[in-house]
Amino acid sequence: MLVPSLDEYIDTVDLGNGLIIAQQSIGVAHDTKGNWGNADGILGLGPVGLTKGSLPNESGRTIPTINNNLHSQGTIHREIETVNGEPEHAGPITYTPIASYHPSLNYWCFEQSISYGSSMIMSSAGIVDMTYQSATGGTLDAAASLLLISSAQYAALENLNFNIAGETFSLTPNAQIWPRVLNTYIGGSSSAIYLVVADIGMPSGTGYEFINGYLFTERFLTVLDSSRSRIGFATTSYTDVTTN
């Protein structure tokens, strides 16, 4: 989604629990392209380098993020935040360094391999979507822009395994499907079963072939540790639930 026209405002932001940020930069878009739905904005938890060039005519400037300012103003001791749909975590946190090569270093990118059942479908560099589609038997649904599977194919789904720093984090079959109560919100059929793995259109070798995404953070606690240039994951009480 593109933001062709953006103004910067400076204000005080109160996140609650004593987390008050003075002089926080806030970008206000005049118009956008793409479907934002009812979203009011983006908090911005990525590396500060990602803000470079986000303001017109200031291509060389970076903008302090929420975490940058909380740390520099002495409110928090380290630039670290956790992202998860459920607040409790049941397992130990496994950390891995974020990538130090371009262009991955501008994002929360890290090395991982992905397998479907016992079959490897992505090493540290590769494309997963077509191999995954073949393995699951899904067909692209033009209305929802996601892979559609039958009830029989859903019953045959295997775990989608992410190997990160020597540990395996598995998305169960239920975790691999789009929440069915939200089917109509993406233009799909209310009775359909859609897979959440989709083509992001990035060729192999770009440095970000796969995005673990929001539904991954619903199942696993994710720790974004800017101060130590690392990212961590842990299982939670929500990892293996069957709610979709």
Side-chain angles (χ1 to χ4, degrees), residues 5-232:
S5 184
L6 185 75
D7 287 336
E8 181 186 22
Y9 291 83
I10 304 297
D11 205 345
T12 298
V13 176
D14 188 344
L15 300 177
N17 296 319
L19 298 177
I20 298 175
I21 310 164
Q23 297 295 302
Q24 178 61 49
S25 173
I26 299 172
V28 178
H30 296 284
D31 56 275
T32 63
K33 294 181 180 180
N35 180 19
W36 286 80
N38 294 321
D40 294 317
I42 299 173
L43 181 60
L45 300 179
V48 68
L50 199 58
T51 69
K52 188 175 181 178
S54 56
L55 288 174
N57 304 318
E58 295 192 45
S59 59
R61 177 188 168 200
T62 59
I63 301 169
T65 63
I66 293 287
N67 255 17
N68 288 151
N69 277 335
L70 282 171
H71 182 258
S72 64
Q73 294 171 21
T75 305
I76 59 177
H77 298 295
R78 285 171 50 197
E79 290 186 46
I80 185 171
E81 65 264 5
T82 59
V83 180
N84 192 248
E86 295 288 312
E88 298 179 2
H89 72 270
I93 299 174
T94 296
Y95 286 100
T96 190
I98 60 174
S100 58
Y101 46 82
H102 184 80
S104 301
L105 55 83
N106 293 325
Y107 303 87
W108 287 104
C109 288
F110 55 94
E111 296 287 343
Q112 66 178 345
S113 61
I114 305 174
S115 63
Y116 176 75
S118 59
S119 301
M120 181 67 65
I121 59 175
M122 193 193 87
S123 58
S124 59
I127 295 296
V128 69
D129 58 284
M130 293 304 295
T131 309
Y132 179 78
Q133 179 176 356
S134 176
T136 60
T139 57
L140 183 63
D141 182 279
S145 298
L146 292 175
L147 295 178
L148 174 68
I149 60 173
S150 66
S151 296
Q153 288 169 326
Y154 173 59
L157 278 183
E158 299 185 62
N159 284 353
L160 187 61
N161 306 303
F162 298 78
N163 187 277
I164 303 168
E167 297 292 331
T168 299
F169 299 89
S170 297
L171 286 180
T172 62
N174 184 264
Q176 295 172 54
I177 66 172
W178 178 260
R180 281 173 276 195
V181 296
L182 300 178
N183 279 1
T184 57
Y185 287 84
I186 59 172
S189 167
S190 60
S191 60
I193 304 175
Y194 298 108
L195 296 169
V196 296
V197 176
D199 184 5
I200 60 173
M202 300 301 295
S204 179
T206 57
Y208 34 82
E209 285 81 12
F210 192 88
I211 299 175
N212 288 35
Y214 172 72
L215 294 177
F216 186 90
T217 64
E218 281 190 334
R219 300 285 178 150
F220 300 101
L221 179 82
T222 301
V223 182
L224 308 176
D225 189 349
S226 298
S227 61
R228 296 183 180 177
S229 298
R230 64 181 185 171
I231 188 168

